[in-house]
């Protein structure tokens, strides 16, 4: 039951704590054992941890495990100058970096004149001047770095711990007391009769030559002039077992317990806090160390924890989901109010946790101070807040925001605006007529002008009547914004603005429009995740960037705007888009709400300086081979051509949870430009071509860019591209050209002869073919001429025959004619012989015999031709003139010309086409 009560108390305490940023490292993160016994930091700010699987090193980006020769657990570690001293199972020694950046181990046990005790382990290491002292449970081994000698101090009982205070070493011997080593002299400072067997886990310099002793189970003591006096500390619990302790420079005492987490006490301010699971991975703390930046490192029974004690940020993490998402906050005197999706919570300066104000369960949208009173806009109306209580003064539609106007309250509802005269809260507020849109974002410019921002419909400028119950007119300014939720209208330095995710617009009264060109918009260069912004009572304007919070202040001396950033990763201010929020909770102190709780910080932000960036490892490999480390301190690394895969590891030893270093790199002669900023301190290049290169890397931390670190290397040409190979290629190529020339010369000579012979034969054949063609053409012409002559001959012959027959017949008739009647018969015979039709039949028969198919071809080509037309064609075929044709047709020459003209028309010949030439084509 008592354990349950303690757990409940610790849970409530943890629930109310605003803690510095805390980072946990699981064993899976550093890939080594669970337990971490001691932690040390080297001059280059790298962290070294005594782990139960070996020595762990951490450079801010990469963890590496270095195993001692027998792979035993490392119990102690001390980074001193360029060496890292460790103590393990039956062994102790030091590690050094070789030229490749690798840690190599040297054992010192062989220098001892006494044999190492069986099972002896070395639990602590301290440095004093030129000596390094290793402590086991029975002995102290003192190693002189200058002489490389080792001496031994043996105790009569168990040595529980070893401490360094000033220039002295102290160690406690069980059942004996506390001893000091001063200038080589050992003396007992406090006898066990005063210590009473209380194991001392921490011994530190305190005020006025005093020492503060932390015991495991008996509290705190002051050692002054060899006296042992109890030191009372408020809220210090004697019910817990302290395993390790560290007193920091600002009088902050850090205690690591067995099973009760980590306690942090400030001995001057008496402020304290406790860190337990699940904030840290394990409640048993085995070691505590403060690094140069003031961070607290804790070695746990399972993992490591890092507390950024001096961070300007404090985080409240709602681990158990008691509060919900923080949508708004307000600090009024010693009361801090949080409006969440679960209700309205309050915490006073002297309380241990947040308390839900009775009756306020549900979604709280805003907390507004109007005329000296505090009101909460709620999903169920309006609450008037008074100390730790709240009165539900309006139960109605949800209220986004409340503003002062005239002598009352202006409320922005889900469905419009309402006005409530102060002092008349017993009556419901009166809705303003003519406007029923959601009014989440309000700016009261004066008693008659109200600005309303709507996520989808843009900006409205409302003209309000004297009674504040009616919208007499409005102007709607459309917004070119596609982001949905996240539009904000606000008043800054007496000007009206609205902001989107991309731009900030300022209202120009002379033009009655919003303009993009304005000083505030010109200042903001960092991309933002939302259009939401907030003007706080200290006249600072805040917005939410992708990497930082952005805030703008008015420079009082130069009367100009100045922009600054606060590096808070987006995961610690993550909330539904359009509901990002920030409030002023103190002088230059701000609270940012999120779905995990909230973050508190003060400006100006103070961060430790950026440590130098270093290249920690360079490794190379050929294709399908393992990477091997290369020397770091070289002017130029020369690599064979096959070994053209190269990796670089680099880091800035910064150990902040909220501000992580990022890196950009390039290879001169290979990369097109600097790479994008990346969080990993690693660069890989594969299959690089031959050439001379310089790898360059730079870091950015807290928006500051580091100096550039560089590493020069070259990749040789492949063997086939070397000078000797090129000379051989030239000689072989020349020889090949000579041989090919000889071969081609002979080949082309033979080809030329073959071609000449082939061409000669072709020419002869062509000549024969040409001669044969000429002969053929001549024969064809002779045949044509012969045929033509035959036709003419046939026609002439037939004509002669006919005429002869006619003349013979005429002769006979005339000879036998005795009278007029006979003479008429002779005339008739003559007429009969010269009759056109008979002559034509006779002529056609003879013509067809001489010129086959001519008349038939003409008739087929021109079926519209008459017999007289065909006669004319036949005569024209014989190339007869019109004068010659006239007696044959027994007509005049003029009539022949007319017949020719009509024949052309029927044949549809072109004007420039000859009739005779056309007929001769058939």
């Amino acid at each position: 039951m008592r354990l349950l009560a303690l757990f409940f108390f610790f849970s409530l305490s943890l629930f109310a704590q605003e803690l510095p940023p805390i980072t946990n490292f699981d064993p899976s993160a550093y890939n080594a054992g669970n337990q971490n016994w001691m932690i040390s930091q080297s001059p280059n700010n790298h962290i070294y941890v005594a782990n139960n699987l070996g020595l762990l090193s951490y450079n801010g980006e990469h963890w590496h495990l270095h195993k001692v020769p027998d792979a035993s657990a490392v119990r102690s570690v001390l980074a001193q100058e360029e060496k890292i001293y460790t103590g393990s199972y039956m062994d102790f020694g030091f590690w050094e970096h070789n030229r490749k950046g690798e840690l190599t181990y040297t054992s010192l046990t062989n220098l001892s004149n006494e044999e190492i005790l069986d099972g002896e382990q070395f639990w602590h290491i301290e440095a004093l001047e030129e000596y390094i002292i290793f402590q086991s449970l029975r002995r102290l081994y003192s190693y002189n770095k200058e002489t490389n000698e080792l001496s031994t101090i043996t105790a009569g009982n168990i040595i529980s711990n070893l401490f360094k205070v000033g220039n002295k070493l102290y160690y406690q011997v069980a059942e004996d007391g506390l001893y000091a080593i001063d200038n080589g002299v050992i003396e007992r400072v406090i006898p066990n009769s005063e210590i009473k067997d209380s194991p001392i886990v921490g011994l530190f310099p305190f005020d006025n030559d005093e020492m503060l002793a932390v015991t495991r189970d008996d509290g705190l003591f002051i050692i002054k002039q060899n006296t042992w006096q109890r030191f009372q500390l408020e809220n210090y619990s004697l019910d817990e077992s302290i395993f390790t302790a560290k007193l920091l420079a600002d009088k902050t005492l850090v205690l690591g317990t067995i099973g009760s987490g980590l306690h942090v006490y400030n001995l001057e301010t008496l402020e304290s806090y406790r860190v337990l699971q699940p904030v840290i991975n394990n409640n048993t703390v085995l070691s505590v160390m403060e690094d140069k930046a003031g961070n607290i490192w804790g070695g746990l029974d399972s993992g490591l924890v890092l507390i950024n004690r001096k961070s300007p940020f404090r985080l409240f993490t709602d681990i158990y989901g008691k509060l919900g998402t923080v949508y708004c906050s307000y600090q009024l005197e010693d009361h801090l109010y949080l409006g969440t999706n679960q209700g309205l919570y309050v915490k006073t300066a002297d309380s241990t946790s947040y308390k839900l104000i009775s009756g306020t369960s549900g979604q709280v949208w805003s907390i507004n101070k109007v005329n000296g009173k505090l009101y909460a806009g709620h999903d169920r109306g309006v609450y008037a807040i008074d100390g730790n209580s709240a009165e539900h003064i309006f139960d109605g539609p949800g209220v986004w925001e409340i503003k002062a106007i005239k002598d009352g309250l202006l409320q922005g509802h889900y469905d419009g605006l309402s006005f409530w005269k102060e002092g008349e809260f017993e009556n419901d507020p009166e809705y303003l007529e003519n406007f029923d849109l959601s009014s989440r974002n309000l700016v009261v410019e004066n008693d008659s002008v109200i600005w309303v921002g709507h996520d989808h419909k843009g900006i409205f400028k409302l003209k309000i009547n004297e009674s504040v119950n009616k919208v007499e007119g409005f102007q709607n300014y459309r917004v070119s914004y596609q982001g949905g939720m996240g539009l904000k209208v606000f008043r800054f330095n007496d000007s009206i603005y609205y902001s989107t995710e991309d731009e900030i617009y300022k209202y120009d009264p002379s033009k009655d429009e919003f303009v993009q060109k304005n000083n505030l918009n010109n200042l903001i260069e960092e991309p933002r995740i939302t259009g939401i912004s907030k003007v706080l009572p200290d006249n600072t304007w805040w917005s939410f960037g992708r990497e930082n919070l952005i805030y703008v202040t008015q420079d009082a001396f130069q009367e100009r705007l100045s922009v600054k950033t606060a590096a808070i990763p987006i995961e610690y201010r993550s909330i539904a888009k359009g509901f990002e929020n920030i409030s002023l909770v103190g002088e230059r102190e701000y609270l940012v709400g999120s779905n995990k709780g909230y973050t508190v910080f003060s400006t100006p932000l103070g961060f430790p300086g950026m440590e130098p960036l270093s290249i920690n490892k360079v490794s190379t490999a050929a294709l399908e081979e393992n990477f091997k480390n290369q020397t770091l301190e070289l002017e130029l690394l020369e690599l064979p051509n096959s070994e053209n895969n190269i990796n670089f590891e680099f880091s800035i030893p910064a150990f902040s949870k909220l501000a992580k270093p990022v890196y950009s790199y390039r290879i001169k002669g290979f990369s097109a430009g600097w790479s994008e900023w990346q969080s990993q301190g690693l660069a890989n290049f594969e299959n690089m071509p031959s050439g001379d290169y310089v790898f360059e890397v730079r870091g950015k931390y807290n928006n500051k860019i580091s100096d550039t670190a560089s590493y020069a290397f070259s990749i040789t040409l492949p063997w086939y591209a070397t000078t000797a190979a090129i000379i051989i290629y030239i000689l072989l190529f020349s020889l090949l050209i000579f041989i090919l020339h000889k071969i081609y010369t002979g080949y082309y000579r033979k080809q030329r002869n073959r071609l000449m012979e082939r061409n000669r034969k072709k020419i002869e054949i062509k000549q024969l073919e040409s001669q044969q063609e000429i002969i053929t053409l001549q024969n064809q012409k002779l045949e044509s001429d012969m045929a033509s002559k035959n036709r003419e001959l046939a026609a002439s012959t037939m004509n002669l025959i006919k005429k002869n027959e006619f003349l013979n017949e005429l002769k006979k008739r005339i000879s036998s004619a005795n009278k007029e009647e006979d003479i008429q018969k002779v005339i008739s015979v003559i007429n009969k012989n010269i009759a056109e039709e008979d002559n034509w039949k006779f002529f056609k028969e003879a013509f067809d015999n001489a010129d086959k198919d001519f008349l038939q071809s003409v008739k087929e080509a021109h079926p519209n031709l008459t017999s007289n037309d065909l006669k004319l064609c036949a005569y024209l075929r014989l190339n007869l003139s019109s004068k010659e044709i006239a007696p044959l047709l027994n007509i005049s020459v003029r009539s022949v010309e007319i017949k020719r003209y009509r024949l052309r028309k029927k044949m549809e010949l072109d004007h420039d086409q000859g009739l005779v030439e056309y007929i001769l084509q058939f």
Side-chain angles (χ1 to χ4, degrees):
M1 190 69 182
R2 181 172 179 270
L3 289 175
L4 182 62
L6 282 173
F7 176 78
F8 181 73
F9 172 76
F10 292 154
S11 297
L12 287 178
S13 299
L14 182 65
F15 173 57
Q17 287 188 105
E18 294 174 0
L19 298 173
I22 297 174
T23 304
N24 284 286
F25 299 96
D26 295 323
S28 59
Y30 53 73
N31 198 26
N34 291 346
Q35 296 175 319
N36 297 286
W37 295 98
M38 193 172 177
I39 309 171
S40 185
Q41 187 176 30
S42 64
N44 65 355
N45 296 313
H46 291 190
I47 301 297
Y48 294 92
V49 182
N51 182 267
N52 62 341
L53 287 187
L55 174 66
L56 269 177
S57 64
Y58 182 52
N59 56 28
E61 292 293 336
H62 310 101
W63 291 95
H64 295 285
L65 177 64
H66 316 275
K67 294 189 176 183
V68 292
D70 60 355
S72 65
V74 175
R75 302 296 189 185
S76 56
V77 61
L78 177 67
Q80 183 76 9
E81 297 173 347
E82 299 300 322
K83 296 180 180 179
I84 299 94
Y85 297 90
T86 59
S88 56
Y89 177 77
M90 296 186 67
D91 192 15
F92 60 87
F94 62 84
W95 304 75
E96 288 182 298
H97 286 95
N98 61 18
R99 298 186 66 197
K100 296 180 180 180
E102 303 165 331
L103 280 176
T104 59
Y105 180 70
T106 302
S107 176
L108 295 175
T109 55
N110 59 321
L111 300 178
S112 177
N113 294 325
E114 300 185 35
E115 188 175 346
I116 300 297
L117 299 175
D118 186 35
E120 189 172 16
Q121 298 192 61
F122 298 88
W123 293 94
H124 199 86
I125 307 172
E126 288 289 354
L128 183 64
E129 298 176 348
E130 71 269 25
Y131 295 96
I132 304 295
I133 295 87
F134 301 86
Q135 175 245 325
S136 72
L137 294 180
R138 289 289 182 178
R139 294 174 177 170
L140 298 178
Y141 293 82
S142 177
Y143 169 66
N144 189 311
K145 297 182 293 182
E146 297 179 356
T147 64
N148 200 35
E149 294 176 345
L150 191 70
S151 58
T152 306
I153 300 173
T154 303
N157 207 335
I158 292 176
I159 302 174
S160 61
N161 217 325
L162 176 68
F163 313 100
K164 177 186 175 184
V165 180
N167 291 322
K168 294 182 181 181
L169 287 177
Y170 294 84
Y171 63 95
Q172 183 183 12
V173 179
E175 301 178 355
D176 191 356
L178 180 66
Y179 284 82
I181 303 175
D182 186 11
N183 293 322
V185 177
I186 301 175
E187 63 174 344
R188 187 168 65 179
V189 179
I190 305 293
N192 188 58
S193 59
E194 294 188 41
I195 297 175
K196 298 178 182 179
D197 292 326
S198 296
I200 301 173
V201 297
L203 191 64
F204 312 101
F206 208 55
D207 295 332
N208 302 320
D209 297 328
E210 297 174 347
M211 290 189 295
L212 177 68
V214 181
T215 65
R216 177 160 297 177
D217 305 301
D218 200 25
L220 305 178
F221 292 86
I222 293 293
I223 299 176
K224 184 176 183 180
Q225 297 177 355
N226 296 345
T227 62
W228 182 260
Q229 303 172 10
R230 182 171 293 278
F231 179 77
Q232 297 293 338
L233 180 63
E234 186 179 351
N235 296 327
Y236 188 92
S237 176
L238 297 176
D239 296 328
E240 298 165 0
S241 181
I242 310 299
F243 189 81
T244 184
K246 183 71 175 178
L247 183 64
L248 310 182
D250 62 353
K251 296 296 179 66
T252 296
L253 181 63
V254 183
L255 304 177
T257 70
I258 298 175
S260 298
L262 196 69
H263 297 252
V264 180
Y265 297 91
N266 189 297
L267 302 182
E268 291 186 343
T269 65
L270 300 182
E271 294 178 353
S272 65
Y273 59 88
R274 175 179 298 184
V275 186
L276 292 164
Q277 284 180 281
V279 176
I280 60 176
N281 286 344
N282 193 274
N283 282 337
T284 296
V285 183
L286 303 177
S287 56
V288 174
M289 188 272 292
E290 181 187 24
D291 67 17
K292 296 176 183 177
N295 300 311
I296 298 173
W297 291 79
L300 308 179
D301 195 54
S302 180
L304 288 156
V305 63
L306 168 64
I307 303 175
N308 300 135
R309 186 176 64 93
K310 292 190 175 181
S311 170
F313 300 98
R314 289 293 181 270
L315 307 180
F316 176 91
T317 305
D318 186 19
I319 299 171
Y320 303 106
K322 300 291 185 180
L323 268 68
T325 300
V326 177
Y327 282 85
C328 55
S329 57
Y330 201 94
Q331 180 80 42
L332 183 62
E333 298 175 350
D334 62 345
H335 287 69
L336 177 58
Y337 298 93
L338 298 180
T340 78
N341 61 329
Q342 297 178 185
L344 181 64
Y345 290 83
V346 63
K347 181 174 77 74
T348 58
D350 57 353
S351 64
T352 58
S353 64
Y354 281 97
K355 176 185 175 183
L356 175 65
I357 296 180
S358 178
T360 65
S361 294
Q363 176 70 61
V364 178
W365 294 118
S366 64
I367 303 173
N368 309 101
K369 188 177 182 181
V370 180
N371 299 328
K373 297 181 181 180
L374 212 56
Y375 299 93
H378 197 283
D379 182 60
R380 293 191 284 113
V382 178
Y383 287 82
I385 304 170
D386 184 13
N388 294 336
S389 63
E391 180 184 358
H392 196 185
I393 61 174
F394 169 60
D395 187 2
V399 174
W400 293 111
E401 194 171 18
I402 305 166
K403 296 286 187 179
I405 187 170
K406 287 193 174 180
D407 55 349
L409 306 180
L410 178 70
Q411 300 173 118
H413 295 272
Y414 295 169
D415 57 352
L417 297 165
S418 70
F419 175 68
W420 211 349
K421 275 192 177 184
E422 194 167 2
E424 298 182 3
F425 294 155
E426 66 276 4
N427 301 319
D428 286 343
E430 185 175 4
Y431 269 78
L432 276 67
E433 297 178 13
N434 303 329
F435 192 80
D436 59 0
L437 295 178
S438 176
S439 304
R440 186 163 72 96
N441 180 202
L442 304 175
V443 173
V444 178
E445 183 176 357
N446 52 53
D447 287 345
S448 61
V449 177
I450 300 172
W451 295 84
V452 179
H454 193 282
D455 285 316
H456 304 289
K457 296 183 179 296
I459 308 298
F460 292 87
K461 182 182 181 181
L462 309 182
K463 179 69 175 176
I464 309 301
N465 66 352
E466 183 70 21
S467 301
V468 196
N469 59 8
K470 184 178 181 180
V471 176
E472 295 182 332
F474 67 84
Q475 176 72 31
N476 183 206
Y477 304 87
R478 305 301 293 180
V479 175
S480 58
Y481 172 58
Q482 306 298 323
M485 303 293 283
L487 176 71
K488 182 72 173 181
V489 60
F490 59 93
R491 187 173 189 170
F492 184 52
N493 289 340
D494 297 325
S495 295
I496 302 296
Y497 296 82
Y498 80 81
S499 56
T500 68
E501 187 174 323
D502 304 313
E503 302 289 346
I504 302 168
Y505 298 83
K506 182 179 180 180
Y507 179 66
D508 186 343
S510 63
K511 299 179 180 179
D512 191 26
E513 65 180 24
F514 285 89
V515 294
Q516 184 177 347
K517 291 184 178 180
N518 60 82
N519 292 336
L520 184 58
N521 190 43
N522 295 337
L523 275 178
I524 310 304
E525 297 180 352
E526 181 177 337
R528 290 175 290 132
I529 60 172
T530 178
I532 293 298
S533 59
K534 189 72 177 287
V535 178
L536 298 181
D538 60 356
N539 199 37
T540 56
W541 177 86
W542 292 80
S543 187
F544 301 83
R546 292 180 186 173
E547 298 180 1
N548 304 283
L549 286 181
I550 306 164
Y551 66 101
V552 174
T553 60
Q554 180 79 33
D555 191 318
F557 296 99
Q558 299 185 9
E559 294 187 355
R560 62 181 178 84
L561 299 178
S562 173
V563 62
K564 298 181 178 66
T565 59
I568 303 180
I570 197 167
E571 65 212 72
Y572 295 100
R573 46 188 172 91
S574 176
I575 198 170
K577 186 174 183 179
F579 293 94
E580 296 83 0
N581 61 93
I582 184 171
S583 66
L584 183 70
V585 294
E587 186 177 357
R588 293 188 176 183
E589 187 176 8
Y590 305 92
L591 186 151
V592 180
S594 74
N595 53 21
K596 295 181 180 180
Y598 61 81
T599 301
V600 178
F601 62 95
S602 299
T603 59
L605 299 172
F607 292 103
M610 180 168 52
E611 298 296 333
L613 181 149
S614 61
I615 298 175
N616 304 313
K617 186 167 76 171
V618 178
S619 56
T620 60
L623 183 64
E624 297 183 354
E625 292 185 3
N626 294 328
F627 278 86
K628 60 183 180 181
N629 295 337
Q630 298 292 344
T631 302
L632 294 176
E633 298 177 359
L634 277 179
E635 290 187 4
L636 178 68
L637 172 66
E638 296 183 359
L639 297 172
N641 184 263
S642 60
E643 203 169 327
N644 60 351
N645 300 305
I646 185 165
N647 293 343
F648 296 91
E649 286 187 11
F650 39 84
S651 67
I652 294 174
F655 309 107
S656 172
K657 182 182 181 72
L658 300 187
K660 300 288 187 183
V662 290
Y663 306 93
S664 177
Y665 56 81
R666 68 178 179 181
I667 290 185
K668 282 188 174 181
F670 181 74
S671 304
W674 288 96
S675 69
E676 295 293 327
W677 293 105
Q678 64 175 43
S679 59
Q680 290 184 333
L682 183 67
N684 304 318
F685 299 92
E686 297 180 352
N687 197 28
M688 291 194 62
S690 57
D692 296 327
Y693 303 108
V694 177
F695 172 76
E696 293 183 330
V697 60
R698 59 185 180 180
K700 183 168 69 171
Y701 180 65
N702 287 325
N703 295 320
K704 295 180 181 179
I705 296 179
S706 70
D707 294 334
T708 300
S710 61
Y711 188 89
F713 66 98
S714 67
I715 300 176
T716 60
L717 293 168
W719 62 267
Y720 52 80
T722 60
T723 303
I726 292 173
I727 293 174
I728 294 173
Y729 296 154
I730 293 173
L731 294 176
L732 290 175
F733 182 73
S734 301
L735 179 61
L736 180 63
I737 293 296
F738 177 76
I739 294 172
L740 290 176
H741 175 71
K742 287 294 185 183
I743 293 173
Y744 285 140
T745 300
Y747 172 77
Y748 283 124
R749 186 181 294 114
K750 291 179 181 178
Q751 286 293 99
R752 185 186 63 182
N753 294 336
R754 289 196 192 99
L755 287 174
M756 291 177 65
E757 181 64 22
R758 190 180 301 163
N759 290 336
R760 185 183 65 76
K761 290 181 180 180
K762 285 183 179 180
I763 291 171
E764 291 178 354
I765 292 171
K766 287 287 185 182
Q767 289 177 345
L768 290 174
E769 290 176 349
S770 299
Q771 291 175 359
Q772 187 175 359
E773 187 175 356
I774 292 171
I775 293 171
T776 301
L777 292 174
Q778 290 175 347
N779 291 337
Q780 291 177 350
K781 188 174 185 302
L782 290 174
E783 290 176 358
S784 177
D785 292 344
M786 184 64 70
S788 178
K789 294 296 182 180
N790 289 338
R791 289 194 297 272
E792 293 177 2
L793 179 60
S796 300
T797 303
M798 290 298 177
N799 189 45
L800 289 174
I801 293 172
K802 181 67 178 176
K803 293 300 180 183
N804 288 337
E805 290 178 350
F806 169 71
L807 291 176
N808 289 330
E809 179 68 20
L810 181 62
K811 181 179 176 180
K812 288 178 181 181
R813 294 286 184 181
I814 294 175
S815 299
S816 60
N818 295 316
K819 47 187 175 182
E820 182 68 22
E821 194 175 302
D822 294 329
I823 294 171
Q824 289 296 325
K825 290 181 179 179
V826 171
I827 294 170
S828 177
V829 170
I830 293 171
N831 289 335
K832 182 180 179 181
N833 278 276
I834 64 175
E836 182 182 351
E837 188 64 30
D838 291 338
N839 288 339
W840 167 246
K841 289 181 179 178
F842 179 79
F843 175 81
K844 180 176 182 301
E845 181 180 352
F847 185 87
D848 285 338
N849 290 332
D851 196 348
K852 285 183 179 181
D853 301 324
F854 167 74
L855 294 175
Q856 184 66 28
S857 298
V858 173
K859 186 65 176 176
E860 289 177 357
H862 302 283
N864 60 335
L865 298 183
T866 64
S867 59
N868 289 331
D869 295 329
L870 294 175
K871 290 178 187 178
L872 181 59
C873 289
Y875 294 140
L876 291 173
R877 176 77 169 178
L878 295 176
N879 207 15
L880 299 179
S881 65
S882 297
K883 186 176 180 180
E884 293 171 333
I885 295 172
L888 293 174
L889 297 179
N890 198 24
I891 59 176
S892 67
V893 175
R894 177 64 179 167
S895 297
V896 172
E897 292 296 329
I898 293 172
K899 281 182 173 289
R900 291 181 68 153
Y901 175 76
R902 289 174 179 170
L903 182 62
R904 287 179 62 89
K905 295 288 286 182
K906 288 182 178 182
M907 290 183 171
E908 298 179 349
L909 299 182
D910 294 333
H911 178 73
D912 56 347
Q913 189 174 6
L915 179 61
V916 176
E917 288 81 6
Y918 176 71
I919 290 173
L920 290 176
Q921 290 178 3
F922 283 85

